[in-house]
Amino acid sequence: MASKLFVLLFTIISCHQLRTIRAESVVKINAENEATSIDDKKAINDFQDRCSSRKCREDETCVLNQDGDVECACIAECEDPKDERLMICTAANHTYTSDCEFYQMQCWCRKNDQRCTRKEALTDTIDYFGQCQNLGVCTEFELEVFPKRMTTWLGEILDALFVRKGLDSKYETLVNEARKMKLSNTEKWWRNAVLWEFCELDRTHDNSVNKEELSRFVRSLKVLEHCIQPFLNHCDTNNDNKISADEWGSCLGLDKDDVDFLKTFCSH
Ligand SMILES: *[C@@H]1O[C@H](CO)[C@@H](O)[C@H](O)[C@H]1NC(C)=O
């Protein structure tokens, strides 16, 4: 368990760093542009203006084509993450080196580019982070003990994030209280971590975690926790593909008061 936790934290942190590196390289390109002549600068400004009005899909970038027009193109090159944990396995059970590579393939196929070597990519989706593997079935017993496993584990994550000072300030009171509960061996010491995770997952602040929010969560956890999807299915008692605050509370063992607090705390 401890080592799995470490792996998960590493995954979260390395994904974060990767994004930072990408952002830095964009800044660097811009800085290089600064050094160019005034004419070039004008051209670049013009290019940027035209690109800002040209809305490209998330997996495409705005480029200048041979005729001097701006157009949306597929990501030219994906960084090789050189880390198995950033590989992705798709629903069709195909491994890509990174999510970038998957989106690039989808883009090529959409545009009938000759580099499209897997037409299936068009209808494929990301299943989880990590190389495709046999994840095994979640047994009834594993599912039964899963809430305990998950609450303990969320509690440890919140604690680790607290130590690393990696948390949004809005959680300050929640975290300080969680620390005290943990140190005093309170029975549900993980309570605040369960509250925190729901708020983190519910990005739209509508007091429920929708399908998209859930799949993002499942993707990064599935390799470590093959019971995560069956567990979440089990939490969704009304089968609407969303997990409400009430459903989250009852499947993770929160008291009614905590669920009421959750509803007001997360909805802004
Ligand atoms: C997916 O591929 C992996 C590795 O090739 C294999 O071990 C696993 O059994 C496959 N899973 C399914 C559901 O086919």
PDB file of all heavy atoms in Angstrom, residues 93 132-134, ligand 1:
ATOM      1  N   ASN A  93      -7.490  -1.544 -26.067  1.00  0.00           N
ATOM      2  CA  ASN A  93      -6.325  -2.241 -25.506  1.00  0.00           C
ATOM      3  C   ASN A  93      -5.061  -2.037 -26.359  1.00  0.00           C
ATOM      4  O   ASN A  93      -4.323  -2.971 -26.613  1.00  0.00           O
ATOM      5  CB  ASN A  93      -6.625  -3.738 -25.337  1.00  0.00           C
ATOM      6  CG  ASN A  93      -5.797  -4.351 -24.217  1.00  0.00           C
ATOM      7  OD1 ASN A  93      -5.449  -3.684 -23.247  1.00  0.00           O
ATOM      8  ND2 ASN A  93      -5.450  -5.630 -24.366  1.00  0.00           N
ATOM      9  N   CYS A 132      -0.809  -1.183 -21.473  1.00  0.00           N
ATOM     10  CA  CYS A 132      -1.924  -2.132 -21.427  1.00  0.00           C
ATOM     11  C   CYS A 132      -1.480  -3.406 -20.722  1.00  0.00           C
ATOM     12  O   CYS A 132      -0.384  -3.911 -20.962  1.00  0.00           O
ATOM     13  CB  CYS A 132      -2.394  -2.486 -22.844  1.00  0.00           C
ATOM     14  SG  CYS A 132      -3.202  -1.133 -23.690  1.00  0.00           S
ATOM     15  N   GLN A 133      -2.286  -3.883 -19.867  1.00  0.00           N
ATOM     16  CA  GLN A 133      -1.937  -5.081 -19.118  1.00  0.00           C
ATOM     17  C   GLN A 133      -3.205  -5.790 -18.663  1.00  0.00           C
ATOM     18  O   GLN A 133      -4.294  -5.261 -18.811  1.00  0.00           O
ATOM     19  CB  GLN A 133      -1.085  -4.711 -17.906  1.00  0.00           C
ATOM     20  CG  GLN A 133      -1.724  -3.652 -17.045  1.00  0.00           C
ATOM     21  CD  GLN A 133      -0.721  -2.960 -16.149  1.00  0.00           C
ATOM     22  OE1 GLN A 133      -0.471  -3.402 -15.039  1.00  0.00           O
ATOM     23  NE2 GLN A 133      -0.143  -1.867 -16.626  1.00  0.00           N
ATOM     24  N   ASN A 134      -3.001  -6.947 -18.135  1.00  0.00           N
ATOM     25  CA  ASN A 134      -4.140  -7.673 -17.615  1.00  0.00           C
ATOM     26  C   ASN A 134      -4.406  -7.192 -16.195  1.00  0.00           C
ATOM     27  O   ASN A 134      -3.628  -7.477 -15.300  1.00  0.00           O
ATOM     28  CB  ASN A 134      -3.822  -9.170 -17.637  1.00  0.00           C
ATOM     29  CG  ASN A 134      -5.069  -9.990 -17.540  1.00  0.00           C
ATOM     30  OD1 ASN A 134      -6.120  -9.486 -17.110  1.00  0.00           O
ATOM     31  ND2 ASN A 134      -4.994 -11.237 -17.935  1.00  0.00           N
TER      32      ASN A 134
HETATM   33  C1  LIG B   1      -4.579  -6.131 -23.263  1.00  0.00           C
HETATM   34  O1  LIG B   1      -3.236  -6.296 -23.657  1.00  0.00           O
HETATM   35  C2  LIG B   1      -2.427  -6.806 -22.625  1.00  0.00           C
HETATM   36  C3  LIG B   1      -0.981  -6.729 -23.076  1.00  0.00           C
HETATM   37  O2  LIG B   1      -0.816  -7.032 -24.405  1.00  0.00           O
HETATM   38  C4  LIG B   1      -2.882  -8.206 -22.272  1.00  0.00           C
HETATM   39  O3  LIG B   1      -2.075  -8.757 -21.253  1.00  0.00           O
HETATM   40  C5  LIG B   1      -4.325  -8.120 -21.784  1.00  0.00           C
HETATM   41  O4  LIG B   1      -4.807  -9.400 -21.512  1.00  0.00           O
HETATM   42  C6  LIG B   1      -5.188  -7.455 -22.832  1.00  0.00           C
HETATM   43  N1  LIG B   1      -6.503  -7.229 -22.235  1.00  0.00           N
HETATM   44  C7  LIG B   1      -7.604  -7.531 -22.887  1.00  0.00           C
HETATM   45  C8  LIG B   1      -8.867  -7.203 -22.170  1.00  0.00           C
HETATM   46  O5  LIG B   1      -7.625  -8.023 -23.973  1.00  0.00           O
END
